[in-house]
């Protein structure tokens, strides 16, 4: 059986910017017959996520992430349908998912490594299992509940960077549900900001590409910031942390602005910002 797949063609380097040429599409042949315990699946959805930038390096610097190997197929979160099965708990037509789904049109996988899905849980929208009903949704929920320290009725203000992304957009909504009185998002276009307010329930949104983020935060968060769901790091996070209140909390979900740089994770704060963090007793901890 001839299938198409995407392999890592070259590495951008720890301080390089990824380009399309880092990947290569190729055709390969996989067996027509499967072995006991295996299934043949057809790929329906793949999730391409910021953390994958780390997997393009020779070393991910994270124990739970395996680096992609040159000329081997890339992988990540995926959803597909079983087309043939020799696994006792999976049959043709079942929808399945895996966090290590290969980037190829069809694949032969170990059935024991797949999770069977119930399409009714997402009203038939299978891609939701890679978003709100998947790892990103769980990340936003656990990050808020375990690290956000939201107290209903405490009149807390929450800020979310990368707010239009899969984690950020959910974190903001969860913040309101958990008890934050005001949620402000930061995104990169006017359209994203509009959607955050009109559809996602955010109270306000800042386009970081227009004007001073610090000045807009002062206007939109006059009482300061109590909870910060940080997806981006860098200058935006410096601006937010500078306006955080005493005993406030940072949920360190991602540092997208730093992923093309060779540095430890989490990246260290600038000295002046670190001093603010310590002086105000601001917690800064990873989401899980």
């Amino acid at each position: 059986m001839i299938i198409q797949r995407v392999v890592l063609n070259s590495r951008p380097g720890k301080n390089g910017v990824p380009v399309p040429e880092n990947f290569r599409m190729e055709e390969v042949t996989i067996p027509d017959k499967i072995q006991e315990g295996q299934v043949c699946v057809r790929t329906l959805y793949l999730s391409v996520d910021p953390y994958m930038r780390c997997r393009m390096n020779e070393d991910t610097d994270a124990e739970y992430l395996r680096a992609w190997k040159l000329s081997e197929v890339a992988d990540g979160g995926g959803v597909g349908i079983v087309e043939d099965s020799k696994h006792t708990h999976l049959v043709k037509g079942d929808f399945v998912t895996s966090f290590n789904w290969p980037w190829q049109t069809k694949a032969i996988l170990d059935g024991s490594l797949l999770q069977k899905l119930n399409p009714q849980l997402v009203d038939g929208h299978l891609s939701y299992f890679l978003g709100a009903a998947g790892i990103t949704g769980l990340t936003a929920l656990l990050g808020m509940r375990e690290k956000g320290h939201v107290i209903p009725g405490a009149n807390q203000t929450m800020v979310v960077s990368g707010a239009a992304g899969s984690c950020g957009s959910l974190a903001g909504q969860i913040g309101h549900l958990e008890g934050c009185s005001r949620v402000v998002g930061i995104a990169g276009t006017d359209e994203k900001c509009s959607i955050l307010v009109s559809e996602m329930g955010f109270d306000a949104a800042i386009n970081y590409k227009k004007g001073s983020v610090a000045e807009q935060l002062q206007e939109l968060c006059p009482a300061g910031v109590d909870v910060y769901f940080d997806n981006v790091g860098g200058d935006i996070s410096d601006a937010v942390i500078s306006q955080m209140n005493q005993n406030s909390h940072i949920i360190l979900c991602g540092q997208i602005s730093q992923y093309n740089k060779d540095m430890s994770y989490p990246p260290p704060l600038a000295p002046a910002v670190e001093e603010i963090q310590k002086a105000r007793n601001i917690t800064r901890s990873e989401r899980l």
Side-chain angles (χ1 to χ4, degrees), residues 217-230:
L217 281 170
Q218 288 177 343
E219 179 183 348
L220 296 173
C221 307
V225 178
D226 302 291
V227 181
Y228 175 38
F229 198 94
D230 184 8

Side-chain angles (χ1 to χ4, degrees), residues 264-275:
S264 60
Y265 189 89
L269 295 172
V273 179
E274 185 177 14
E275 185 61 33

Side-chain angles (χ1 to χ4, degrees), residues 45-206:
Y45 298 99
L46 296 171
S47 183
V48 181
D49 306 296
Y51 81 88
M52 292 176 171
R53 172 63 185 86
C54 305
R55 301 190 67 186
M56 298 179 74
N57 298 331
E58 289 187 23
D59 183 2
T60 66
D61 293 324
E63 293 182 0
Y64 59 90
L65 284 180
R66 181 182 62 84
W68 287 331
K69 295 182 179 180
L70 290 174
S71 296
E72 290 193 7
V73 66
D75 69 321
V79 169
I81 185 170
V82 175
E83 294 196 331
D84 191 12
S85 176
K86 286 191 176 181
H87 187 273
T88 53
H89 300 301
L90 296 171
V91 298
K92 182 178 180 179
D94 281 345
F95 295 104
V96 290
T97 187
S98 169
F99 190 65
N100 300 109
W101 195 284
W103 287 11
Q104 54 193 61
T105 51
K106 291 187 179 184
I108 295 175
L109 303 175
D110 182 346
S112 65
L113 301 180
L114 300 174
Q115 179 182 354
K116 186 176 177 179
L117 300 174
N118 180 359
Q120 293 183 342
L121 294 176
V122 290
D123 198 25
H125 299 284
L126 292 168
S127 65
Y128 291 4
F129 286 115
L130 299 177
I135 292 293
T136 50
L138 195 60
T139 298
L141 178 65
L142 291 180
M144 286 301 302
R145 288 192 172 173
E146 298 296 324
K147 306 295 184 180
H149 302 282
V150 177
I151 304 171
N155 201 33
Q156 291 169 299
T157 295
M158 174 180 175
V159 171
V160 184
S161 59
S166 58
C167 270
S169 60
L170 291 167
Q173 296 176 71
I174 293 168
H176 260 317
L177 292 171
E178 290 291 294
C180 288
S181 61
R182 184 166 180 79
V183 177
V184 176
I186 302 175
T189 69
D190 288 341
E191 181 183 13
K192 289 178 181 179
C193 290
S194 176
I195 291 173
L196 288 174
V197 174
S198 63
E199 299 182 25
M200 302 292 182
F202 283 64
D203 296 287
I206 295 169

